[in-house]
Each structure stands twice: as structure tokens, then as C-alpha cells.
Amino acid sequence: MSLRLLPPVKTVPLLWERPEPAHLHGSVPLRRAAIAQAAVSLADKKGLGAVSLRTVAAALKVDSKRLRGFVYSKKELHELMADAVYREMVAAGPYQGDWRQILRDVAHQFRRAAHKHLWFTDLVGPRMSMVPHALVYVEASLAALGEEPGFKGSGNAMRALQNVSAYAAGAIQGESAEVRYERRFGKDWTELRDTVGPYYQRMLESGRFPRTVREVESPTETSLDAVFEQGLELMLDGIAARLPR
């Protein structure tokens, strides 16, 4: 029996390894930076679901076929958008202070970016973490941490950065839900709590959830800012406990 060789798989060069088209046609100048800006603006106003090659082309007043000369797919469009947000984070400036302050700044900068662009956390993932400005952002963060005691040449800097970023992304997902709910239904989260509050209270009074009752009745601060800070400090305490003395 003879074996038939399969044809070689053709791979498409990554967006970042392809030069932009050299010849610009049409009355509207086009660059990937302008495409990213239009896509980000559309997502900020209408959500990530509103972003497509067709809608971005319409926003730029160009033919969608022309847009495909710059980006081949929605996935690549999302990469451009993620890179644009990381570019904003890089532009915010270098980190300063001890390692705890550096990591606090990392978390808060990520949170500010995600509050400004509510869709951003939906794009965070392995592929998006390798867009050019994400790499610049990580390099700047590691450079700030690298000279701190317990971090130099140990691998602890990358692990700490990954864990703090993961905490911030997870916390912000819940915060974004409140804003999205308000935009979608025209009601804020307080109104939602008022609507389900009586049911929730009856469930707590049923005696089936004693631990939940104790936690709910504890006199703790529950603002989003305070909850984020408390969780972040717990994360930093955990990192501190594992650093070499």
C-alpha cells in the first residue's frame, strides 16, 4: 500500500508580522491604528458584539473589502483592540515605589483600563497577551519589579505579575456586570437588589444558610473600591509570605 503525502499546511503570517498595505487606495487614508481606534470607539459605545469588519468599515466610511487588506478576521480586529488598550496602559508611565506599591499600581491601572473599556476583560487571554504593547507592558512591569528584594532573577516577578493581573481581571468581570446591566436595562444594581431583596431576605431567614447570614451581617465595607482593595491586599500578603527572607 502506498502512502500519499499530504500537501504542506499553509500558514498565514500573524497580523504583527505582516506589513501594512503599501498602496493606499480611495479617498480615505487607512492605517491599522485608525482601524483600532474605530473598533475601540464602537465597542465602548455599543459593546464588543457590535464590532465586526463590516461595522468598523462603515464607521471608517470605507469598503469592507478594503479593510480586509489590513486585518483578515474579527480575531485580528480584536487583537488590534487589545493592543490599543495596552498602549494606553503603557503610556500611563513607569511604576515606582516598593514591590507592593508597584503591584498595586499594576492592578489599579488594569482596573482603570477595564472600567474605561468594559469589553477589555472579555478579550484577555493567551493570544491577546502576546500583542506588541502587551509585551511592552509586561516588560515595563518586570523591569520595575526586577530590582526589588526577593524578585531579582528568581521568577517571582513574573508569577506575582500574573497572579495580580488575574485577580484584577476576575474582580473587574463582576464590576463590569453592574455597568452592563444598567446600560442594557436602564436600571442600576441598587434597583436590582431592591427588586430581589425581599426574596433574598426570606431565604436568609429560612435557617438554611447560617454561614452566609453571619457574613452578610458582618459590619464590613461593601463598596466596589473597598472590596477590590481588600482582595488585592490579601493577594499581596500571599505573595509576601512566599518571598525569600
Side-chain angles (χ1 to χ4, degrees):
M1 183 177 65
S2 62
L3 295 176
R4 185 175 63 181
L5 295 178
L6 295 175
V9 177
K10 293 183 179 180
T11 58
V12 178
L14 293 175
L15 169 67
W16 314 108
E17 296 180 310
R18 300 194 311 264
E20 296 198 59
H23 302 290
L24 303 180
H25 303 287
S27 59
V28 180
L30 199 58
R31 285 281 186 252
R32 286 189 182 126
I35 295 170
Q37 184 178 1
V40 166
S41 179
L42 189 60
D44 286 345
K45 293 175 182 175
K46 298 184 178 181
L48 189 61
V51 175
S52 68
L53 293 177
R54 179 183 59 79
T55 56
V56 172
L60 290 167
K61 296 181 172 60
V62 300
D63 188 272
S64 59
K65 291 182 180 179
R66 186 178 170 208
L67 199 68
R68 288 183 181 274
F70 293 82
V71 288
Y72 292 167
S73 64
K74 182 186 285 188
K75 182 182 290 185
E76 288 193 345
L77 193 56
H78 286 171
E79 289 183 51
L80 276 181
M81 296 167 68
D83 189 66
V85 177
Y86 277 113
R87 182 195 293 268
E88 293 178 7
M89 294 166 66
V90 169
Y95 301 115
Q96 297 178 341
D98 64 14
W99 69 265
R100 290 184 74 109
Q101 187 57 49
I102 291 167
L103 289 173
R104 285 192 197 99
D105 289 345
V106 166
H108 283 288
Q109 189 181 64
F110 193 96
R111 187 175 183 235
R112 285 192 295 271
H115 277 204
K116 181 179 178 181
H117 309 291
L118 293 175
W119 44 269
F120 179 54
T121 52
D122 293 337
L123 293 185
V124 173
R127 188 179 180 95
M128 300 303 170
S129 68
M130 290 183 283
V131 299
H133 281 91
L135 294 174
V136 174
Y137 163 75
V138 170
E139 181 67 18
S141 305
L142 294 176
L145 282 172
E147 299 303 316
E148 287 294 299
F151 287 93
K152 188 174 183 178
S154 65
N156 287 334
M158 179 61 84
R159 284 189 288 272
L161 181 62
Q162 289 173 333
N163 280 281
V164 167
S165 297
Y167 164 73
I172 294 160
Q173 284 282 9
E175 295 177 10
S176 298
E178 295 197 15
V179 180
R180 289 172 175 170
Y181 180 88
E182 181 176 356
R183 288 184 178 180
R184 182 176 180 182
F185 298 105
K187 297 179 179 180
D188 63 26
W189 206 251
T190 302
E191 291 178 272
L192 174 63
R193 287 198 298 266
D194 291 343
T195 301
V196 301
Y199 160 79
Y200 186 63
Q201 187 64 34
R202 288 194 298 272
M203 293 299 290
L204 293 182
E205 291 173 352
S206 69
R208 295 166 56 193
F209 311 102
R211 293 175 180 81
T212 303
V213 170
R214 284 198 295 272
E215 289 298 322
V216 169
E217 292 179 348
S218 298
T220 57
E221 177 60 60
T222 57
S223 73
L224 292 179
D225 290 343
V227 170
F228 185 85
E229 290 289 349
Q230 290 165 4
L232 178 58
E233 290 305 312
L234 286 173
M235 173 67 69
L236 297 180
D237 288 345
I239 293 171
R242 296 183 67 87
L243 289 178
R245 301 296 180 183

